[in-house]
């Protein structure tokens, strides 16, 4: 009888995104849980991928990325954030942001190192740190508003701290950094060698006229950061799994040592297509904030006709909703009930935290056609009619 070794991730089950999308499919619910659009990428981008395949771009891409795409990313961060980087030594194309996050953690975190997370935290950070032998130190975001408690972050830094992971715009809360956050971050890092992993996958979804404040816009932060983004979010193609990491050459060198053995290289025709699309159609990314802001506002108006209370959201394609007027169930059970009985799937927010919470909040994804949002709103408006607390 074979004895298996103990699990390396004993606390980890199947991700909440898989669980809720599966339940939504089983129940025929409208799936506002896992974050993905229900509409297509720009048709020019689809044509370009086909053209690149037909043109014979079907074999391994270079390990670090398709050269023209490295150039396009360097051009983008220069134009948007004033950050001048060498495409050959500071940009790496990855298999989605997920791979970039994993490689960045494994490039620098050693057994016994501490990594500071701000919670609620996106679910892939903690397992990546644990697999690298590190230990997470979790600092809760402030209520209300989900701002960062920089004094607590400062206190959490020890001689063992290797990395601080930040995420703006923030999944699941929709909070975004203000200039004072970057000031505080610079201050926290002033007298130590702590590195930063900045998850900026929602960089083009910041609303109400605010700019996205990338760490790449601050030389003191860019000098010690891995900055990660995802083409899946920006170009409505989460299923293609293409993202990138920008980091100074010394960090990029270590990052690529991991990347070349996790993934080696990313789908070549997609990279060639993105390279051309980024240069030919920069307007797509620039228009994204307005596009998603109007969906956020539409969804908030729909929620206003239900007993759910929308929490202010300044970025991402997620909307938190507080449900205490409807149910006393904990959020994991409420999300299941909502999926089964009301026919709308959502993500319970407590799964992104380790600290126990009394909050009654679920996350909806509004990256959907207006007809989908309207249909979900109509179902959610039934919540009031049922009456009584569950
Ligand atoms: N970080 C955050 C905050 C995300 O929300 C996601 C995906 N939704 C990712 C990383 C992973 O991105 P990708 O699908 O490009 O791997
Ligand atoms: N990041 C997406 C979300 O927050 C899901 C990605 C995944 O399913 N791994 O919904």
């Amino acid at each position: 009888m074979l004895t298996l070794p103990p699990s390396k991730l004993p606390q980890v089950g199947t991700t909440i995104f898989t669980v809720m999308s599966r339940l939504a499919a089983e129940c025929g619910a409208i799936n506002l849980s896992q974050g993905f659009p229900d509409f297509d990428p720009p048709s020019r981008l689809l044509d370009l991928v086909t053209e690149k395949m037909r043109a014979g771009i079907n074999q391994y891409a270079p390990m670090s990325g398709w050269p023209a795409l490295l150039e396009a990313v360097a051009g983008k961060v220069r134009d948007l954030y004033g950050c001048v980087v060498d495409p050959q030594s500071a940009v790496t194309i990855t298999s989605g942001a997920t791979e970039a996050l994993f490689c960045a953690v494994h490039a620098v975190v050693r057994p016994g190192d501490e990594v500071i997370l701000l919670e609620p935290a996106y679910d892939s950070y903690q397992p990546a740190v644990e697999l690298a032998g590190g230990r997470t130190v979790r600092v809760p975001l402030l209520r209300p508003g989900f701002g960062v408690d920089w004094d607590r972050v400062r206190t959490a830094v020890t001689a063992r701290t290797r990395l601080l992971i930040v995420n703006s715009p923030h999944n699941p809360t929709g909070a975004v950094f203000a200039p004072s956050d970057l000031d505080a971050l610079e201050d926290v890092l002033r007298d130590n060698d702590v590195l930063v992993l900045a998850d900026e996958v929602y960089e083009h979804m910041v609303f109400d006229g605010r700019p996205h404040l990338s760490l790449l816009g601050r030389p003191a932060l860019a000098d010690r950061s891995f900055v990660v983004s995802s083409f899946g979010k920006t170009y409505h193609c989460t299923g293609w799994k293409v993202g990138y990491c920008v980091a100074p050459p010394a960090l990029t060198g270590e990052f690529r040592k991991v990347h070349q053995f996790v993934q080696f290289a990313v789908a070549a025709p997609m990279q060639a297509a993105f390279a051309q699309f980024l240069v030919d159609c920069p307007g797509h990314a620039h228009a994204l904030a307005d596009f998603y802001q109007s969906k956020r506002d539409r969804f908030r108006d729909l929620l206003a006709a239900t007993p759910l209370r929308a929490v202010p959201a300044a970025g991402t394609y997620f909307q938190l909703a507080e449900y205490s007027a409807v149910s006393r169930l904990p959020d994991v059970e409420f999300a299941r009930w909502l999926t089964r009985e009301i026919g709308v799937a959502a993500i319970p927010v407590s799964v992104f935290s380790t600290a126990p919470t009394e909050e009654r909040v679920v996350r909806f994804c509004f990256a959907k056609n207006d007809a989908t949002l309207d249909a979900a709103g109509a179902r959610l408006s039934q919540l009031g009619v049922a009456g009584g607390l569950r």
Side-chain angles (χ1 to χ4, degrees):
M1 200 32 197
L2 182 68
T3 307
L4 291 176
S7 171
K8 294 183 78 172
L9 295 171
Q11 315 299 335
V12 170
T14 305
T15 79
I16 192 67
F17 308 116
T18 303
V19 168
M20 293 312 302
S21 278
R22 194 161 51 203
L23 186 64
E26 277 167 24
C27 301
I30 298 171
N31 189 1
L32 305 189
S33 64
Q34 190 178 26
F36 61 88
D38 71 347
F39 40 84
D40 283 336
S43 71
R44 173 79 188 123
L45 180 59
L46 297 178
D47 290 344
L48 279 170
V49 172
T50 316
E51 280 170 30
K52 301 300 177 189
M53 287 178 174
R54 292 281 176 211
I57 301 178
N58 297 300
Q59 311 311 327
Y60 294 126
M63 181 273 281
S64 58
W66 194 256
L69 186 54
L70 299 177
E71 299 267 354
V73 170
K76 167 198 157 162
V77 302
R78 182 196 59 229
D79 295 349
L80 284 181
Y81 309 126
C83 179
V84 177
V85 296
D86 171 28
Q88 305 311 325
S89 59
V91 183
T92 309
I93 307 301
T94 58
S95 180
T98 309
E99 195 233 337
L101 295 165
F102 190 87
C103 291
V105 167
H106 279 261
V108 297
V109 174
R110 292 169 175 68
D113 284 353
E114 290 176 359
V115 177
I116 299 175
L117 304 188
L118 308 175
E119 76 173 18
Y122 183 63
D123 69 341
S124 81
Y125 306 153
Q126 170 103 20
V129 171
E130 284 179 18
L131 288 172
R135 190 173 78 79
T136 58
V137 176
R138 301 175 73 112
V139 175
L141 294 175
L142 294 164
R143 309 301 200 270
F146 302 105
V148 180
D149 186 341
W150 291 108
D151 289 334
R152 275 189 77 167
V153 174
R154 190 176 288 104
T155 314
V157 173
T158 71
R160 285 187 297 278
T161 309
R162 176 74 60 199
L163 186 69
L164 165 62
I165 304 183
V166 295
N167 171 214
S168 175
H170 185 258
N171 180 7
T173 67
V176 304
F177 278 171
S180 57
D181 289 303
L182 297 190
D183 295 342
L185 180 54
E186 283 192 21
D187 198 50
V188 163
L189 301 173
R190 206 175 302 283
D191 296 317
N192 55 49
D193 294 323
V194 174
L195 301 169
V196 182
L197 172 51
D199 181 342
E200 300 187 4
V201 299
Y202 301 103
E203 62 181 321
H204 298 292
M205 299 171 208
V206 180
F207 309 136
D208 308 313
R210 295 170 72 169
H212 168 61
L213 298 176
S214 175
L215 270 61
L216 294 172
R218 297 276 187 115
L221 297 175
D223 281 353
R224 54 165 83 199
S225 299
F226 299 93
V227 176
V228 167
S229 191
S230 168
F231 294 115
K233 314 289 173 194
T234 304
Y235 299 100
H236 315 320
C237 51
T238 60
W240 297 3
K241 295 296 290 183
V242 186
Y244 63 85
C245 176
V246 179
L251 291 180
T252 293
E254 294 305 310
F255 180 95
R256 288 181 183 171
K257 287 181 192 176
V258 183
H259 163 73
Q260 67 185 343
F261 297 119
V262 171
Q263 179 69 19
F264 182 66
V266 174
M270 271 76 172
Q271 290 199 63
F274 279 128
Q276 196 167 331
F277 192 81
L278 258 67
V279 173
D280 291 356
C281 307
H284 173 92
H286 298 149
L288 206 64
D290 284 349
F291 173 78
Y292 275 123
Q293 182 174 327
S294 70
K295 291 203 177 289
R296 178 201 64 175
D297 293 346
R298 183 183 198 96
F299 189 58
R300 290 173 70 88
D301 287 347
L302 290 162
L303 287 181
T306 77
L308 303 176
R309 196 181 57 79
V311 175
T316 76
Y317 50 43
F318 302 117
Q319 174 65 56
L320 294 188
E322 208 268 331
Y323 62 84
S324 58
V326 179
S327 171
R328 293 202 186 89
L329 290 174
D331 62 354
V332 173
E333 287 162 53
F334 179 72
R336 288 176 188 280
W337 176 83
L338 195 68
T339 307
R340 285 205 190 93
E341 303 300 326
I342 303 295
V344 180
I347 295 287
V349 169
S350 65
V351 300
F352 301 110
S353 295
T354 47
T357 170
E358 291 299 303
E359 284 168 339
R360 299 277 181 268
V361 179
V362 289
R363 188 199 80 177
F364 294 103
C365 173
F366 56 76
K368 306 293 168 190
N369 284 305
D370 289 348
T372 311
L373 295 177
D374 293 349
R379 292 186 183 186
L380 292 173
S381 67
Q382 297 306 307
L383 281 169
V385 177
L389 280 182
R390 260 156 214 95

mmCIF file of all heavy atoms in Angstrom, residues 96-98 101 122 125 167 171 199 201-202 230 233 241, ligand 1:
data_model
loop_
_atom_site.group_PDB
_atom_site.id
_atom_site.type_symbol
_atom_site.label_atom_id
_atom_site.label_comp_id
_atom_site.label_asym_id
_atom_site.label_seq_id
_atom_site.Cartn_x
_atom_site.Cartn_y
_atom_site.Cartn_z
ATOM 1 N N GLY A 96 -0.914 34.396 -18.203
ATOM 2 C CA GLY A 96 -1.835 35.111 -17.313
ATOM 3 C C GLY A 96 -1.080 35.751 -16.162
ATOM 4 O O GLY A 96 0.125 35.505 -15.954
ATOM 5 N N ALA A 97 -1.811 36.570 -15.415
ATOM 6 C CA ALA A 97 -1.204 37.171 -14.225
ATOM 7 C C ALA A 97 -0.919 36.109 -13.180
ATOM 8 O O ALA A 97 0.011 36.239 -12.384
ATOM 9 C CB ALA A 97 -2.140 38.237 -13.654
ATOM 10 N N THR A 98 -1.713 35.047 -13.182
ATOM 11 C CA THR A 98 -1.535 33.988 -12.169
ATOM 12 C C THR A 98 -0.113 33.440 -12.200
ATOM 13 O O THR A 98 0.527 33.290 -11.162
ATOM 14 C CB THR A 98 -2.530 32.838 -12.422
ATOM 15 O OG1 THR A 98 -3.843 33.394 -12.543
ATOM 16 C CG2 THR A 98 -2.520 31.832 -11.299
ATOM 17 N N LEU A 101 2.363 36.068 -10.865
ATOM 18 C CA LEU A 101 2.358 36.170 -9.401
ATOM 19 C C LEU A 101 3.150 35.017 -8.789
ATOM 20 O O LEU A 101 3.965 35.199 -7.884
ATOM 21 C CB LEU A 101 0.910 36.141 -8.880
ATOM 22 C CG LEU A 101 0.025 37.329 -9.287
ATOM 23 C CD1 LEU A 101 -1.451 37.005 -9.022
ATOM 24 C CD2 LEU A 101 0.433 38.587 -8.533
ATOM 25 N N TYR A 122 -6.576 38.362 -2.757
ATOM 26 C CA TYR A 122 -6.851 37.446 -3.879
ATOM 27 C C TYR A 122 -6.289 36.061 -3.537
ATOM 28 O O TYR A 122 -5.222 35.943 -2.929
ATOM 29 C CB TYR A 122 -6.235 38.007 -5.159
ATOM 30 C CG TYR A 122 -6.536 37.167 -6.373
ATOM 31 C CD1 TYR A 122 -7.844 36.996 -6.818
ATOM 32 C CD2 TYR A 122 -5.518 36.521 -7.064
ATOM 33 C CE1 TYR A 122 -8.124 36.204 -7.915
ATOM 34 C CE2 TYR A 122 -5.791 35.735 -8.176
ATOM 35 C CZ TYR A 122 -7.093 35.583 -8.591
ATOM 36 O OH TYR A 122 -7.372 34.801 -9.685
ATOM 37 N N TYR A 125 -2.352 34.279 -3.792
ATOM 38 C CA TYR A 125 -1.107 34.758 -3.162
ATOM 39 C C TYR A 125 -0.608 33.783 -2.089
ATOM 40 O O TYR A 125 0.567 33.421 -2.059
ATOM 41 C CB TYR A 125 -1.312 36.136 -2.500
ATOM 42 C CG TYR A 125 -1.892 37.234 -3.379
ATOM 43 C CD1 TYR A 125 -2.614 38.278 -2.798
ATOM 44 C CD2 TYR A 125 -1.722 37.257 -4.758
ATOM 45 C CE1 TYR A 125 -3.140 39.313 -3.561
ATOM 46 C CE2 TYR A 125 -2.259 38.275 -5.530
ATOM 47 C CZ TYR A 125 -2.978 39.300 -4.926
ATOM 48 O OH TYR A 125 -3.510 40.316 -5.683
ATOM 49 N N ASN A 167 -2.459 45.208 -4.203
ATOM 50 C CA ASN A 167 -3.376 44.954 -5.311
ATOM 51 C C ASN A 167 -4.311 46.162 -5.458
ATOM 52 O O ASN A 167 -5.192 46.359 -4.645
ATOM 53 C CB ASN A 167 -4.166 43.663 -5.003
ATOM 54 C CG ASN A 167 -5.305 43.381 -5.961
ATOM 55 O OD1 ASN A 167 -6.338 42.848 -5.569
ATOM 56 N ND2 ASN A 167 -5.146 43.731 -7.214
ATOM 57 N N ASN A 171 -9.260 43.463 -5.900
ATOM 58 C CA ASN A 171 -10.223 42.364 -5.942
ATOM 59 C C ASN A 171 -10.209 41.703 -4.571
ATOM 60 O O ASN A 171 -9.144 41.292 -4.116
ATOM 61 C CB ASN A 171 -9.775 41.362 -7.021
ATOM 62 C CG ASN A 171 -10.701 40.166 -7.145
ATOM 63 O OD1 ASN A 171 -11.748 40.108 -6.528
ATOM 64 N ND2 ASN A 171 -10.312 39.212 -7.977
ATOM 65 N N ASP A 199 -0.055 43.717 -7.887
ATOM 66 C CA ASP A 199 -1.028 43.081 -8.779
ATOM 67 C C ASP A 199 -1.923 44.194 -9.322
ATOM 68 O O ASP A 199 -2.778 44.722 -8.606
ATOM 69 C CB ASP A 199 -1.816 42.045 -7.968
ATOM 70 C CG ASP A 199 -2.842 41.303 -8.813
ATOM 71 O OD1 ASP A 199 -3.190 41.789 -9.906
ATOM 72 O OD2 ASP A 199 -3.308 40.243 -8.353
ATOM 73 N N VAL A 201 -3.842 44.006 -12.261
ATOM 74 C CA VAL A 201 -4.555 43.451 -13.420
ATOM 75 C C VAL A 201 -5.767 44.297 -13.836
ATOM 76 O O VAL A 201 -6.171 44.258 -14.987
ATOM 77 C CB VAL A 201 -4.992 41.978 -13.206
ATOM 78 C CG1 VAL A 201 -3.808 41.069 -12.982
ATOM 79 C CG2 VAL A 201 -6.001 41.841 -12.096
ATOM 80 N N TYR A 202 -6.302 45.078 -12.900
ATOM 81 C CA TYR A 202 -7.466 45.925 -13.248
ATOM 82 C C TYR A 202 -7.045 47.374 -13.505
ATOM 83 O O TYR A 202 -7.823 48.305 -13.283
ATOM 84 C CB TYR A 202 -8.531 45.830 -12.138
ATOM 85 C CG TYR A 202 -9.011 44.413 -11.941
ATOM 86 C CD1 TYR A 202 -8.561 43.650 -10.865
ATOM 87 C CD2 TYR A 202 -9.853 43.807 -12.869
ATOM 88 C CE1 TYR A 202 -8.964 42.328 -10.707
ATOM 89 C CE2 TYR A 202 -10.247 42.487 -12.722
ATOM 90 C CZ TYR A 202 -9.806 41.758 -11.640
ATOM 91 O OH TYR A 202 -10.199 40.439 -11.499
ATOM 92 N N SER A 230 -2.650 41.831 -16.767
ATOM 93 C CA SER A 230 -3.273 40.706 -17.484
ATOM 94 C C SER A 230 -4.005 41.213 -18.717
ATOM 95 O O SER A 230 -4.889 42.063 -18.615
ATOM 96 C CB SER A 230 -4.273 40.020 -16.552
ATOM 97 O OG SER A 230 -5.080 39.115 -17.260
ATOM 98 N N LYS A 233 -8.007 40.608 -18.745
ATOM 99 C CA LYS A 233 -8.975 41.569 -18.201
ATOM 100 C C LYS A 233 -9.222 42.701 -19.187
ATOM 101 O O LYS A 233 -10.357 43.120 -19.418
ATOM 102 C CB LYS A 233 -8.439 42.206 -16.911
ATOM 103 C CG LYS A 233 -7.836 41.260 -15.932
ATOM 104 C CD LYS A 233 -8.883 40.410 -15.280
ATOM 105 C CE LYS A 233 -8.195 39.365 -14.434
ATOM 106 N NZ LYS A 233 -9.075 38.322 -14.019
ATOM 107 N N LYS A 241 -5.334 33.463 -21.205
ATOM 108 C CA LYS A 241 -4.288 33.412 -20.186
ATOM 109 C C LYS A 241 -2.957 34.026 -20.684
ATOM 110 O O LYS A 241 -1.935 33.344 -20.836
ATOM 111 C CB LYS A 241 -4.048 31.969 -19.726
ATOM 112 C CG LYS A 241 -5.240 31.337 -19.021
ATOM 113 C CD LYS A 241 -5.623 32.016 -17.721
ATOM 114 C CE LYS A 241 -4.629 31.818 -16.613
ATOM 115 N NZ LYS A 241 -5.126 32.451 -15.341
HETATM 116 N N1 LIG B 1 -4.998 38.922 -9.774
HETATM 117 C C1 LIG B 1 -6.252 39.309 -9.562
HETATM 118 C C2 LIG B 1 -6.512 40.355 -8.514
HETATM 119 C C3 LIG B 1 -7.288 38.766 -10.309
HETATM 120 O O1 LIG B 1 -8.533 39.151 -10.079
HETATM 121 C C4 LIG B 1 -6.989 37.781 -11.278
HETATM 122 C C5 LIG B 1 -8.059 37.108 -12.098
HETATM 123 N N2 LIG B 1 -9.295 37.469 -11.984
HETATM 124 C C6 LIG B 1 -5.677 37.411 -11.471
HETATM 125 C C7 LIG B 1 -4.702 37.993 -10.694
HETATM 126 C C8 LIG B 1 -5.303 36.365 -12.468
HETATM 127 O O2 LIG B 1 -5.279 36.856 -13.773
HETATM 128 P P1 LIG B 1 -5.129 35.892 -15.033
HETATM 129 O O3 LIG B 1 -6.477 35.378 -15.356
HETATM 130 O O4 LIG B 1 -4.532 36.761 -16.091
HETATM 131 O O5 LIG B 1 -4.198 34.798 -14.622
#
